[in-house]
């Protein structure tokens, strides 16, 4: 059975992957905004953020970005380790 894709199928697959990645990015961004807003913004009497709120938002975003980067690194390390040892998730169940 030939599983290779022709040029049209490759373009369609690429387009779907790009749309999925954009949707995941927007979902992550939306969750980040909501979380930091809920945690940091308390005063709705002015249009602008107070210095304390702004600092909180900056720390919240920074913490999220660092934890996401760390999680990605750990995932890559585990994936590389599993590939080296020949382990396949879910095998033998």
């Amino acid at each position: 059975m030939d599983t290779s894709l022709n040029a049209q199928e490759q373009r369609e697959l690429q387009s779907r992957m790009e749309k999925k990645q954009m949707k995941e990015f927007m979902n992550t961004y939306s969750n980040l905004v909501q979380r930091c807003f809920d945690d940091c913004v308390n005063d709705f009497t002015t249009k602008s953020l107070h210095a304390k709120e702004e600092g909180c938002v900056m720390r919240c975003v920074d913490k999220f970005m660092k934890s996401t980067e760390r999680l990605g690194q750990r995932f890559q390390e585990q994936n590389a380790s599993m590939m080296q040892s020949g382990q396949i998730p879910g095998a033998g169940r």
Side-chain angles (χ1 to χ4, degrees):
M1 182 171 153
D2 185 16
T3 59
S4 62
L5 302 175
N6 65 38
Q8 175 63 27
E9 292 169 331
Q10 288 176 358
R11 285 191 298 274
E12 177 67 24
L13 179 60
Q14 182 67 27
S15 175
R16 287 183 185 203
M17 289 174 61
E18 288 171 0
K19 287 178 185 176
K20 182 176 174 66
Q21 287 175 336
M22 180 57 75
K23 184 177 178 181
E24 289 175 2
F25 169 78
M26 293 305 295
N27 188 41
T28 300
Y29 177 77
S30 177
N31 289 337
L32 170 64
V33 169
Q34 189 66 49
R35 175 183 292 157
C36 293
F37 181 86
D38 289 345
D39 289 351
C40 297
V41 180
N42 303 309
D43 183 2
F44 297 97
T45 60
T46 65
K47 291 181 181 181
S48 59
L49 294 175
H50 292 283
K52 184 177 180 181
E53 293 173 324
E54 189 171 346
C56 178
V57 169
M58 296 302 286
R59 286 187 303 277
C60 179
V61 171
D62 188 52
K63 187 174 187 177
F64 178 84
M65 297 299 288
K66 286 179 179 176
S67 64
T68 300
E69 181 181 2
R70 179 88 166 154
L71 181 62
Q73 288 172 346
R74 292 294 167 246
F75 179 76
Q76 287 177 342
E77 289 170 4
Q78 181 152 2
N79 190 34
S81 175
M82 290 173 71
M83 289 187 71
Q84 279 183 335
S85 66
Q87 293 177 349
I88 299 173
R93 289 185 180 184

